[in-house]
Amino acid sequence: MNSTDQIKLINDTINKTRENLKPLSFNLIFWGLFINVMSIIHYLFPSLIEQTDHSATIYWVGLPLLGMIYMTRWNIKIGKKQGYETIMSRTIRIIWTVFGFGWLLIALSAIRLEFAVAPMILFLLGLVLTMTGMIIKFKPLTIGGMVLFVFVFDLILDPGQNYLIVNMIGVTLGLLIPGIMLSRMKTNE
């Protein structure tokens, strides 16, 4: 194999890896938009969402559970279409599955113990985004996860601020923008 063939093989491998990250970008964009729309609706119509003591909790647990079901089905479909699983994609799947269980545990614990959920979930999301960004070596996602830590720290220092606005900004910077950047990443260089 000559050097031209080796360079072509390396470029093909890099492009294939980048192409394999496209489904991850869809996940990031989906959740960024989904959580932002939920936050906007809650912010604009608080009396609708907060009709009873537990209606906001039902809103913030029920709709994301539906989103998880949809995205799980979508990811399974993409996985079957791809026909194989890499170590990297398996690692990312495991990390995000653990995130889902952690999120559910935090949300359900908040019902019983009545504590502020937003900082804990944003912290968990920041951890997962940072780990995912480091695994796939995509700096915007790593930085997005670290930015969420700043928002968590800010919420802890000033718990009186509107967590919906903090949530929208954090999710936009942590999920949506890195997801868009990942989806637009060139695969034919």
Side-chain angles (χ1 to χ4, degrees):
M1 181 180 276
N2 64 29
S3 62
T4 305
D5 290 338
Q6 290 174 343
I7 291 171
K8 184 181 180 326
L9 179 63
I10 291 168
N11 283 335
D12 289 346
T13 303
I14 291 169
N15 289 336
K16 186 69 174 168
T17 301
R18 287 180 177 170
E19 195 60 38
N20 290 341
L21 294 176
K22 295 293 181 181
L24 176 61
S25 71
F26 179 74
N27 282 271
L28 297 172
I29 293 169
F30 173 84
W31 285 110
L33 290 173
F34 191 83
I35 298 302
N36 274 334
V37 167
M38 285 184 65
S39 296
I40 290 168
I41 290 170
H42 192 163
Y43 182 77
L44 294 176
F45 306 105
S47 59
L48 178 68
I49 304 300
E50 299 169 7
Q51 289 181 3
T52 67
D53 289 342
H54 296 294
S55 60
T57 304
I58 292 168
Y59 175 78
W60 281 102
V61 172
L63 288 178
L65 277 175
L66 293 175
M68 282 182 184
I69 292 168
Y70 170 76
M71 287 309 298
T72 299
R73 292 184 62 175
W74 184 86
N75 285 315
I76 289 170
K77 180 181 172 183
I78 292 299
K80 285 181 181 177
K81 185 177 177 182
Q82 191 175 14
Y84 62 91
E85 183 177 44
T86 65
I87 297 293
M88 184 185 335
S89 62
R90 182 174 187 274
T91 302
I92 291 169
R93 180 177 47 84
I94 290 168
I95 288 172
W96 283 95
T97 301
V98 172
F99 168 81
F101 287 121
W103 168 82
L104 190 58
L105 180 65
I106 291 168
L108 294 176
S109 297
I111 295 170
R112 175 104 165 104
L113 303 174
E114 298 180 15
F115 59 84
V117 176
M120 293 182 75
I121 291 178
L122 285 176
F123 178 75
L124 184 61
L125 181 60
L127 282 174
V128 171
L129 288 172
T130 303
M131 286 188 290
T132 303
M134 293 174 88
I135 289 168
I136 67 171
K137 296 181 181 177
F138 189 63
K139 287 181 185 173
L141 190 58
T142 305
I143 292 168
M146 291 179 182
V147 165
L148 283 177
F149 294 140
V150 174
F151 283 92
V152 169
F153 186 66
D154 188 48
L155 276 173
I156 291 169
L157 288 179
D158 183 11
Q161 60 188 309
N162 190 318
Y163 70 91
L164 293 169
I165 293 180
V166 173
N167 196 37
M168 284 185 274
I169 296 169
V171 165
T172 298
L173 295 174
L175 286 170
L176 194 54
I177 292 173
I180 292 168
M181 292 173 76
L182 186 61
S183 74
R184 302 188 91 197
M185 188 170 55
K186 293 181 182 177
T187 57
N188 56 359
E189 293 179 348

